[in-house]
Amino acid sequence: MLLKNARQRWIGFGVTIIILIVLMSISIVYGYTNTTWQISFNAFTNFDGSTEHIVIRTVRLPRALIAAAVGASLAIAGVLMQALTKNPLSSPDILGVNAGAALTVVIAITIFGVSNLQLFTWVSFIGAAIAAISVYMIGSVGRDGLTPMKLTLAGAAMTAMIASLTQGLLVSNEALLDQVLFWLAGSVAGRSLDNLVAVLPYLVLGWVLAQLVSGKMNVFSMGEDVAKGLGLNTAILKITIGIIIVLLAGGSVAVAGPIGFIGIVIPHVTRFIVGIDHRWLIPYAALNGAILLIAADIASRYILMPQEVPVGVMTAIIGTPFFIYIARKGFNKG
């Protein structure tokens, strides 16, 4: 279903926005607390302090907004990582970026007792950056340099090591285990608007920068030698993309934990819709990522109601078969 011209793409973009708005509305209206569309509308136009109105305004609205922001951020990060590494399996969770951000947050909580939202954000950025640089360096070791297979293996190894360290820290501090474990599974439940506000400036900066470099990404995608021949400073572009990925992945982990598979599923689905032009691919991926995460969050409320499944579990259920398909397809070509 490739949208080939600008008119089709603009129409598709509008339809995608409508789908996102509808899903966000459903997320606000439906859940464990029984509410209706009329009650939800009144919560914003005629707030009366009732339990239903409080739940809608302080629980469900932040949840929908956070899911949209995180889904969009992880999807854009996945697009940039796949273009940068020429690896169809690249995404913040597969290459250990999310895990690195999560580890540093757990260290901040368990060892240093950090609870400040702004500090969480910066700690998450540091962890994401360290993990990304480490995986890139490990994947580049050897005579043949960086390859998709080596990068994926390095990411898997780094993720496994970081996960072990994270679990070890939690076992040594059982008092925080229950509090942190749900967050580590990836969840947008129980978050307030303050959590989103703390990271939103960095996420918005990442979105804007990603769109600004989208034209250069098209040139870079033709090959690094060709890009250099056309006058593109590939070193600066790579550094810029790395900073954007850290902003988006680190900010997402700070507010919602390490949610997986959005960054690998959405870029491939979006290329099927709009092709490889990053000027369209990035904004479409942002909307599709938001849609997928909100839809997964809605589904997570009903599987074990009245209890909830962390949304990270839902995205893993969706993403794992897709990951296996891409892995077989991508590496069989190699």
Side-chain angles (χ1 to χ4, degrees), residues 60-101:
R60 291 186 186 165
L61 177 62
R63 186 169 181 168
L65 292 174
I66 289 171
V70 170
S73 300
L74 293 176
I76 293 174
V79 169
L80 296 179
M81 291 187 77
Q82 289 175 17
L84 179 64
T85 62
K86 305 293 191 298
N87 184 352
L89 298 178
S90 289
S91 69
D93 50 303
I94 300 300
L95 298 190
V97 178
N98 284 357

Side-chain angles (χ1 to χ4, degrees), residues 79-291:
V79 169
L80 296 179
M81 291 187 77
Q82 289 175 17
L84 179 64
T85 62
K86 305 293 191 298
N87 184 352
L89 298 178
S90 289
S91 69
D93 50 303
I94 300 300
L95 298 190
V97 178
N98 284 357
L103 174 60
T104 52
V105 171
V106 170
I107 290 174
I109 295 172
T110 57
I111 297 179
F112 300 103
V114 173
S115 59
N116 182 277
L117 293 177
Q118 288 291 345
L119 282 179
F120 269 168
T121 304
W122 284 105
V123 165
S124 184
F125 289 155
I126 293 170
I130 292 173
I133 293 170
S134 299
V135 169
Y136 191 86
M137 291 176 63
I138 294 171
S140 300
V141 172
R143 189 174 302 172
D144 53 349
L146 187 69
T147 65
M149 174 66 83
K150 287 169 61 179
L151 191 66
T152 303
L153 293 176
M158 183 64 68
T159 300
M161 184 190 73
I162 291 173
S164 298
L165 292 173
T166 302
Q167 295 301 323
L169 284 171
L170 292 177
V171 169
S172 65
N173 194 334
E174 295 184 7
L176 290 173
L177 183 60
D178 292 336
Q179 173 187 341
V180 178
L181 204 55
F182 193 79
W183 174 82
L184 279 175
S187 176
V188 295
R191 308 298 195 267
S192 69
L193 280 179
D194 289 339
N195 295 107
L196 178 60
V197 169
V199 302
L200 190 58
Y202 309 106
L203 297 183
V204 172
L205 177 60
W207 302 339
V208 173
L209 289 176
Q211 193 60 39
L212 288 176
V213 302
S214 60
K216 295 180 179 179
M217 292 297 301
N218 290 338
V219 178
F220 184 78
S221 296
M222 294 188 294
E224 192 163 350
D225 291 337
V226 174
K228 289 179 179 178
L230 293 173
L232 182 66
N233 191 325
T234 57
I236 291 179
L237 180 62
K238 288 179 180 179
I239 293 171
T240 302
I241 294 172
I243 292 172
I244 296 170
I245 292 169
V246 169
L247 286 172
L248 297 178
S252 298
V253 170
V255 71
I259 295 174
F261 293 101
I262 298 289
I264 190 171
V265 171
I266 293 302
H268 290 280
V269 172
T270 307
R271 287 191 198 96
F272 178 72
I273 298 173
V274 296
I276 60 174
D277 186 345
H278 286 82
R279 294 171 298 178
W280 288 100
L281 182 59
I282 288 172
Y284 259 93
L287 292 178
N288 290 336
I291 286 171

